[in-house]
Amino acid sequence: MNDAIKTQIIKLINREVIPAIGCTEPIAVALASAKAAEVLGAKPEKLDVFLSANILKNAMGVGIPGTGMVGLPIAVALGALIGKSEYELEVLRDLSPESLEEGKQMVDSHCINIALKENVDKLYIEIVACAAGNVSKVIISHEHTNFVYVEKNGEILLDKRQECSSDNDGEDEDFILTFNTVCEFALESPLDDIRFILKTAELNKKAALASVKANYGHTVSKTISGPMGKKFMGDSSFTHMLSLTAAACDARMDGAMIPVMSNSGSGNQGIAATLPVVSFAEDMNASEEQLIRALMLSHLMVIYIKQSLGRLSALCGCVVAATGASCAITWLMGGNRRQMSYAIKNMIGNITGMICDGAKPSCAMKVSSGVSTAMLSAMMAIEDKVVTPVEGIIDEDVDISIRNLTSIGSKGMEETDKLVLDIMTHKSC
């Protein structure tokens, strides 16, 4: 692999693996709100928010960090009041009790209007802010921190909308990966070139350990590691992986003010790509080099799959993230490249079709399902057991198998996505 390709891959990883506080969809809305207020130059008196269906779906039922509240209005209010756009996905990190109270008052004043915007990119956020006769307009599209349009009082300050049309949704124009490219980079690059990936282990494990000290969400982690879990599931590398990964997700989905390292715009994907690998590596007393290469393999495999799936889809992100983790665990078990491809095929042959019905506390259960399947897929792969090309959507070529998975998630499940949102927005509760 030449130096130019290595440089492109490192640039891609540094763009896709970044810290985030809270669920990335409502936080991205808060980021747009912060930018709109900054451009306006005053506290907004009115905020009109227009969102794509996928943003709405992923922001309706998740906790907003540090607020004890759920949903978009408080995220919009706090973004406008205390958010700083330069913080990106940590936009609300300056939250205080006083600003939270001010944010609640803004919500109660009914100055925030939220509506669905149709026929736009799956990741689309538009905010129009007004105050004292001035108007600002901000649009984020395609990626959670990607500002494509900024306007004040009719003057266009930024317009990159044509560069982010929905026609290339999910495709990275800089560099398209393959299974072999991912393996070669992760397993053969000089160690010092990829050591930075250890930051994912440090940040996400810290989040998991902080979660254990409290009771977040459905406490999936504590159920696994508690008396019932030990009685019926045992105390093993398998349950350690489940518990550690679920812990970080429990806290994040419940709105804990705890940063995590995300992957491809999702904190849960970052957690699921990191913590099963960290836990398994620790239990097998892996060397630092093994941990670094396994983490890089997992995270880069997730980025690769997301390139063709797109940022948001009807397919649960835990399927993608756990696939990366399974590949890395297979390698830590001593698996070769062929067996790593088997693990990916086993994952695709098993849990393809798990729907995303928004970000919420029960995501910790879905993440646990993904991690569980990752371990089973890796064990089967090590024994040279693999879902064959005559079964379902699996192809002899692992890259084509991945494309089959992402085609189902990005195209085949579009009607599912619409139905899920319709159900969510018409419930009696």
Side-chain angles (χ1 to χ4, degrees):
M1 182 177 292
N2 63 49
D3 291 341
I5 293 176
K6 287 181 181 178
T7 299
Q8 284 181 302
I9 294 175
I10 290 172
K11 177 184 176 183
L12 178 62
I13 296 164
N14 284 326
R15 191 179 75 215
E16 299 291 5
V17 181
I18 60 175
I21 298 177
C23 177
T24 42
E25 277 69 58
I27 294 303
V29 176
L31 175 62
S33 181
K35 184 71 170 180
E38 289 168 0
V39 173
L40 189 65
K43 174 182 173 180
E45 297 169 358
K46 182 183 178 185
L47 289 155
D48 291 318
V49 183
F50 304 95
L51 306 172
S52 61
N54 286 81
I55 292 290
L56 272 175
K57 181 183 71 175
N58 279 352
M60 288 172 61
V62 69
I64 306 304
T67 68
M69 301 172 69
V70 170
L72 283 164
I74 190 64
V76 173
L78 292 174
L81 292 171
I82 55 96
K84 293 182 175 63
S85 61
E86 65 263 31
Y87 291 171
E88 296 193 322
L89 294 181
E90 296 181 286
V91 63
L92 298 184
R93 73 185 189 199
D94 290 341
L95 180 65
S96 66
E98 293 76 21
S99 58
L100 175 57
E101 188 59 36
E102 188 179 0
K104 290 178 179 178
Q105 292 174 7
M106 179 178 279
V107 172
D108 291 341
S109 72
H110 303 291
C111 69
I112 300 170
N113 303 301
I114 299 171
L116 173 66
K117 183 94 169 185
E118 297 183 344
N119 302 315
V120 291
D121 192 274
K122 289 183 178 180
L123 197 165
Y124 183 92
I125 302 162
E126 176 184 329
I127 294 187
V128 178
C130 305
N134 294 307
V135 181
S136 67
K137 180 178 179 179
V138 167
I139 298 174
I140 286 176
S141 183
H142 193 60
E143 297 180 5
H144 292 81
T145 59
N146 186 36
F147 291 99
V148 299
Y149 188 83
V150 178
E151 173 192 311
K152 181 177 182 181
N153 293 333
E155 180 185 356
I156 298 174
L157 307 177
L158 173 72
D159 192 354
K160 299 192 302 178
R161 289 174 293 182
Q162 292 303 315
E163 299 174 24
C164 297
S165 66
S166 58
D167 292 339
N168 65 356
D169 185 32
E171 295 292 336
D172 190 289
E173 295 181 345
D174 295 331
F175 188 75
I176 302 299
L177 297 165
T178 66
F179 171 78
N180 283 327
T181 303
V182 169
C183 292
E184 184 179 350
F185 179 84
L187 303 181
E188 298 177 18
S189 291
L191 204 60
D192 286 342
D193 289 352
I194 60 174
R195 189 180 299 275
F196 66 89
I197 203 67
L198 284 175
K199 294 177 183 177
T200 65
E202 178 184 352
L203 196 59
N204 289 346
K205 186 175 180 182
K206 185 177 180 181
L209 296 179
S211 174
V212 172
K213 298 176 182 178
N215 292 308
Y216 291 109
H218 297 293
T219 60
V220 175
S221 173
K222 291 188 175 182
T223 300
I224 296 167
S225 62
M228 287 283 284
K230 289 180 178 177
K231 179 179 178 179
F232 294 111
M233 299 179 69
D235 185 8
S236 64
S237 294
F238 172 64
T239 54
H240 297 166
M241 290 164 54
L242 290 178
S243 180
L244 190 69
T245 310
C249 189
D250 277 331
R252 180 173 177 271
M253 291 290 94
D254 201 28
M257 201 68 170
I258 302 172
V260 301
M261 195 70 81
S262 65
N263 184 307
S264 303
S266 167
N268 282 350
Q269 286 172 184
I271 289 167
T274 304
L275 293 180
V277 179
V278 170
S279 178
F280 188 80
E282 288 177 349
D283 278 354
M284 65 167 283
N285 296 314
S287 66
E288 182 182 66
E289 178 174 354
Q290 286 176 308
L291 176 60
I292 291 170
R293 295 196 184 281
L295 284 170
M296 182 57 71
L297 182 60
S298 180
H299 276 277
L300 192 55
M301 195 64 71
V302 175
I303 292 170
Y304 164 39
I305 298 172
K306 290 292 288 186
Q307 279 185 323
S308 56
L309 180 62
R311 292 279 166 173
L312 300 174
S313 75
L315 183 68
C316 178
C318 83
V319 175
V320 176
T323 299
S326 184
C327 188
I329 291 166
T330 302
W331 181 75
L332 286 172
M333 287 178 172
N336 55 34
R337 196 174 295 193
R338 172 179 52 80
Q339 290 167 322
M340 288 153 57
S341 75
Y342 286 0
I344 292 172
K345 292 178 182 180
N346 290 338
M347 289 293 294
I348 295 171
N350 191 339
I351 57 174
T352 294
M354 182 184 289
I355 66 165
C356 171
D357 55 342
K360 60 211 175 300
S362 60
C363 285
M365 298 171 67
K366 292 192 176 188
V367 167
S368 297
S369 295
V371 174
S372 175
T373 307
M375 188 63 164
L376 173 61
S377 297
M379 291 189 299
M380 290 181 63
I382 288 295
E383 295 182 352
D384 290 323
K385 298 171 182 175
V386 61
V387 180
T388 65
V390 299
E391 303 173 70
I393 64 170
I394 300 302
D395 190 274
E396 187 68 42
D397 187 302
V398 67
D399 290 300
I400 295 176
S401 295
I402 288 171
R403 284 284 176 170
N404 293 343
L405 164 71
T406 59
S407 292
I408 288 172
S410 62
K411 300 174 184 176
M413 296 177 71
E414 285 186 354
E415 288 303 315
T416 300
D417 218 16
K418 293 175 183 176
L419 180 58
V420 167
L421 181 63
D422 184 66
I423 292 170
M424 291 175 64
T425 53
H426 291 88
K427 291 189 293 185
S428 57
C429 59

